[in-house]
Amino acid sequence: QKEVEQNSGPLSVPEGAIASLNCTYSDRGSQSFFWYRQYSGKSPELIMFIYSNGDKEDGRFTAQLNKASQYVSLLIRDSQPSDSATYLCAVGTGANSKLTFGKGITLSVRP
Amino acid sequence: ETGVTQTPRHLVMGMTNKKSLKCEQHLGHNAMYWYKQSAKKPLELMFVYSLEERVENNSVPSRFSPECPNSSHLFLHLHTLQPEDSALYLCASSLGLAVYEQYFGPGTRLTVT
């Protein structure tokens, strides 16, 4: 069974710090990797996606993928209180790119 | 994400009722999905449609019946639900079935009494 694991959290960081969110997956055939942000009472919002090994940067966000270690992470630089949310890791596998989601980790950025 | 809309946003129904959830995407995508999100559980994929054809039915009970009349609209028909079916039901769409990003609608918060 395909699994996506995220640290249970919650994770608390001070404003301005780097928040590091980690995710591991079990299926070596996985091809696509996504990070969603979900505010309380809202739906998931796609913030980053990565398909190749290495780093991908978009503003304050950096996604890192290491397929050999089956590990994907999200770094949030200069964390802001508005970054406080639950972050969901999702992994796509197969021709239909069925997404398997982790349980999510709640990030709290302290002013 | 205003590209994917869902109605109603909130629904309370009894176990003997029949209701339908509606999803519409304005992104020109070809694939649409239904997910269920319960407290303390990961998002669960329920159904996948590509170009109006169902390509995935993830062992969902028959009291949930999807319908996709065209690539922009997706329905989830509900009947004789159980209290444990209370959850947030999310619709998503993507350009295609391959390694494409999925975009979610705002969801329907369903309560079964």
Side-chain angles (χ1 to χ4, degrees):
Chain A
Q1 182 170 345
K2 304 179 180 67
E3 292 183 349
V4 176
E5 299 286 342
Q6 295 183 250
N7 291 345
S8 58
L11 175 66
S12 179
V13 301
E15 185 174 356
I18 296 175
S20 178
L21 312 177
N22 304 317
C23 176
T24 59
Y25 58 95
S26 63
D27 189 337
R28 284 198 171 273
S30 299
Q31 302 164 305
S32 53
F33 307 86
F34 306 90
W35 284 99
Y36 286 85
R37 177 176 62 198
Q38 188 171 22
Y39 292 114
S40 180
K42 301 293 186 182
S43 63
E45 174 193 5
L46 181 65
I47 56 171
M48 288 290 287
F49 57 89
I50 187 167
Y51 302 138
S52 304
N53 272 333
D55 294 0
K56 179 181 178 182
E57 187 174 319
D58 183 1
R60 297 186 296 111
F61 299 100
T62 298
Q64 299 175 316
L65 176 61
N66 184 326
K67 288 187 177 181
S69 300
Q70 296 174 240
Y71 174 96
V72 57
S73 66
L74 179 70
L75 300 179
I76 306 174
R77 290 182 300 282
D78 187 24
S79 295
Q80 301 297 309
S82 59
D83 295 325
S84 298
T86 297
Y87 290 80
L88 308 176
C89 173
V91 175
T93 307
N96 288 345
S97 196
K98 176 178 174 178
L99 289 190
T100 301
F101 282 81
K103 289 186 176 181
I105 183 168
T106 298
L107 171 66
S108 175
V109 180
R110 310 186 299 270
Chain B
E1 176 60 63
T2 56
V4 182
T5 58
Q6 289 185 245
T7 55
R9 297 292 305 276
H10 299 272
L11 178 63
V12 179
M13 59 186 289
M15 289 191 284
T16 58
N17 291 157
K18 290 184 180 180
K19 296 286 185 184
S20 295
L21 310 185
K22 178 183 176 182
C23 175
E24 183 173 359
Q25 59 94 3
H26 311 273
L27 301 169
H29 288 170
N30 293 317
M32 297 186 77
Y33 311 79
W34 279 116
Y35 286 89
K36 175 183 179 182
Q37 189 174 37
S38 304
K40 309 296 183 186
K41 288 186 178 180
L43 271 166
E44 301 172 57
L45 178 66
M46 300 176 72
F47 301 103
V48 180
Y49 276 83
S50 174
L51 297 171
E52 302 107 68
E53 185 175 333
R54 191 190 308 180
V55 297
E56 180 93 23
N57 177 348
N58 213 26
S59 302
V60 179
S62 60
R63 57 186 184 268
F64 295 91
S65 175
E67 178 189 1
C68 187
N70 55 62
S71 59
S72 298
H73 294 85
L74 185 65
F75 295 88
L76 188 63
H77 304 299
L78 315 172
H79 65 96
T80 59
L81 294 191
Q82 304 300 310
E84 60 264 29
D85 297 322
S86 299
L88 180 67
Y89 288 85
L90 292 158
C91 174
S93 72
S94 66
L95 188 60
L97 284 182
V99 292
Y100 293 115
E101 308 86 72
Q102 293 181 21
Y103 296 90
F104 286 86
T108 295
R109 174 67 61 185
L110 173 67
T111 303
V112 181
T113 61

